[in-house]
Amino acid sequence: WPTRHIAPLFFLHCHISEARPNKMHCSHMPDLGFCPFPYTLRDNVWIVAGLAVGAAVAWKLAMEGHGTSNGKSSHPIVPGNDENAAGSETPIKAGDALPSVTVTSSMDDKEVNIRELLAGKRAIIFGLPGAFTPTCSNVHLPGYIKNRQKLADKGIDVVACVSVNDSFVMKAWGEAQGVENNSSLSLKVLMLADTTADLSRALGVANAKYISKLGNVRCDRFAMLVEDNTVVKMNVEPPGATQCSLAENMLADL
């Protein structure tokens, strides 16, 4: 930007220098071979003022280009980082239709519409703040893996874990937790990546309180029972709790 915005002023300086003879002798300056102020006092005042204005304009344009004008970023908000997500939605409730949202399955890294995945099925979807986080890794996900057979015995066709992570992280986390140990697909816990938090927002469980610690909007801890794309039960944990969304409690309600 300095070349683009200051150079025209430099050429103006040169133009005036060629067009007008020296009218001020720089006897007070050392012998530099040239006089840095070859004009009248009025000329010099105008040149200095022009340079100051040009520098100010160049600085403003440069700051706008870097997204810092007025102290605010002009870059688009990265999906999943909307600080207005906290408390802006009411969680989905029993009787509501499951929203039509695309997530990514960690099994094959392919996008799948959640309604198409669960059409005609009885399913439990549980969500948590993040892969590899302590409570999620030590309590929440292991509980569903441990009770997957019991849930199947109660008629649950699909159990899916949802988190605002990318599919590669979800796959690695699932492997670390042993979700692939069951050879039957019906006995697996599906790891679904809600990468841009679209599903979390549609369910009304997206929360910006996690931005400072986890870097972006995440979903509150929840679990819901869905039958043929209709919500039958929705349990959302209050802040800091891990109880109503656990596998044992969902199992007891079936």
Side-chain angles (χ1 to χ4, degrees), residues 137-216:
S137 295
N138 298 329
V139 179
H140 211 169
L141 177 56
Y144 281 94
I145 296 173
K146 177 183 177 181
N147 289 284
R148 183 63 186 92
Q149 181 63 63
K150 292 180 181 179
L151 291 168
D153 293 341
K154 289 283 190 176
I156 298 300
D157 303 304
V158 176
V159 174
C161 174
V162 173
S163 181
V164 183
N165 291 104
D166 62 72
S167 61
F168 304 106
V169 168
M170 292 296 284
K171 181 177 178 63
W173 188 39
E175 291 174 347
Q177 290 284 327
V179 298
E180 299 296 327
N181 291 343
N182 293 307
S183 58
S184 172
L185 180 61
S186 63
L187 293 179
K188 292 183 186 296
V189 174
L190 298 182
M191 307 296 285
L192 302 179
D194 184 23
T195 309
T196 55
D198 288 341
L199 179 59
S200 297
R201 289 188 177 91
L203 295 176
V205 293
N207 200 322
K209 72 179 182 180
Y210 300 102
I211 291 177
S212 61
K213 194 168 186 178
L214 298 178
N216 59 336

Side-chain angles (χ1 to χ4, degrees), residues 28-43:
H28 62 284
M29 299 293 292
D31 186 9
L32 302 176
F34 68 95
C35 180
F37 299 102
Y39 323 120
T40 65
L41 178 61
R42 185 180 64 181
D43 290 335

Side-chain angles (χ1 to χ4, degrees), residues 82 84-92 199-207 220:
D82 182 6
N84 294 323
S88 62
E89 299 287 344
T90 301
I92 199 170
L199 179 59
S200 297
R201 289 188 177 91
L203 295 176
V205 293
N207 200 322
D220 283 325

Side-chain angles (χ1 to χ4, degrees), residues 3-245:
T3 301
R4 185 169 67 249
H5 300 297
I6 300 300
L9 294 171
F10 173 75
F11 288 120
L12 174 63
H13 177 98
C14 295
H15 175 74
I16 296 175
S17 177
E18 293 175 357
R20 304 190 63 170
N22 288 358
K23 292 190 177 180
M24 180 182 291
H25 179 64
C26 302
S27 58
H28 62 284
M29 299 293 292
D31 186 9
L32 302 176
F34 68 95
C35 180
F37 299 102
Y39 323 120
T40 65
L41 178 61
R42 185 180 64 181
D43 290 335
N44 289 324
V45 170
W46 280 110
I47 290 173
V48 171
L51 288 172
V53 172
V57 171
W59 177 258
K60 185 177 187 303
L61 292 173
M63 290 302 97
E64 289 178 349
H66 283 80
T68 57
S69 178
N70 298 323
K72 298 181 180 179
S73 174
S74 63
H75 294 301
I77 296 176
V78 177
N81 285 350
D82 182 6
E83 295 187 6
N84 294 323
S88 62
E89 299 287 344
T90 301
I92 199 170
K93 63 184 183 302
D96 290 343
L98 192 67
S100 180
V101 179
T102 298
V103 292
T104 305
S105 172
S106 67
M107 291 182 61
D108 50 15
D109 192 36
K110 291 184 178 180
E111 293 186 344
V112 59
N113 184 283
I114 194 73
R115 286 184 61 84
E116 294 177 4
L117 177 67
L118 302 182
K121 295 181 173 63
R122 196 169 186 230
I124 288 178
I125 302 175
F126 68 99
L128 31 78
F132 293 104
T133 54
T135 303
C136 303
S137 295
N138 298 329
V139 179
H140 211 169
L141 177 56
Y144 281 94
I145 296 173
K146 177 183 177 181
N147 289 284
R148 183 63 186 92
Q149 181 63 63
K150 292 180 181 179
L151 291 168
D153 293 341
K154 289 283 190 176
I156 298 300
D157 303 304
V158 176
V159 174
C161 174
V162 173
S163 181
V164 183
N165 291 104
D166 62 72
S167 61
F168 304 106
V169 168
M170 292 296 284
K171 181 177 178 63
W173 188 39
E175 291 174 347
Q177 290 284 327
V179 298
E180 299 296 327
N181 291 343
N182 293 307
S183 58
S184 172
L185 180 61
S186 63
L187 293 179
K188 292 183 186 296
V189 174
L190 298 182
M191 307 296 285
L192 302 179
D194 184 23
T195 309
T196 55
D198 288 341
L199 179 59
S200 297
R201 289 188 177 91
L203 295 176
V205 293
N207 200 322
K209 72 179 182 180
Y210 300 102
I211 291 177
S212 61
K213 194 168 186 178
L214 298 178
N216 59 336
V217 168
R218 300 297 179 103
C219 70
D220 283 325
R221 204 177 296 278
F222 75 93
M224 63 178 175
L225 174 64
V226 179
E227 293 184 3
D228 194 20
N229 285 325
T230 298
V231 178
V232 175
K233 189 176 184 64
M234 180 66 168
N235 291 342
V236 180
E237 299 282 6
T242 307
Q243 188 66 35
C244 66
S245 64

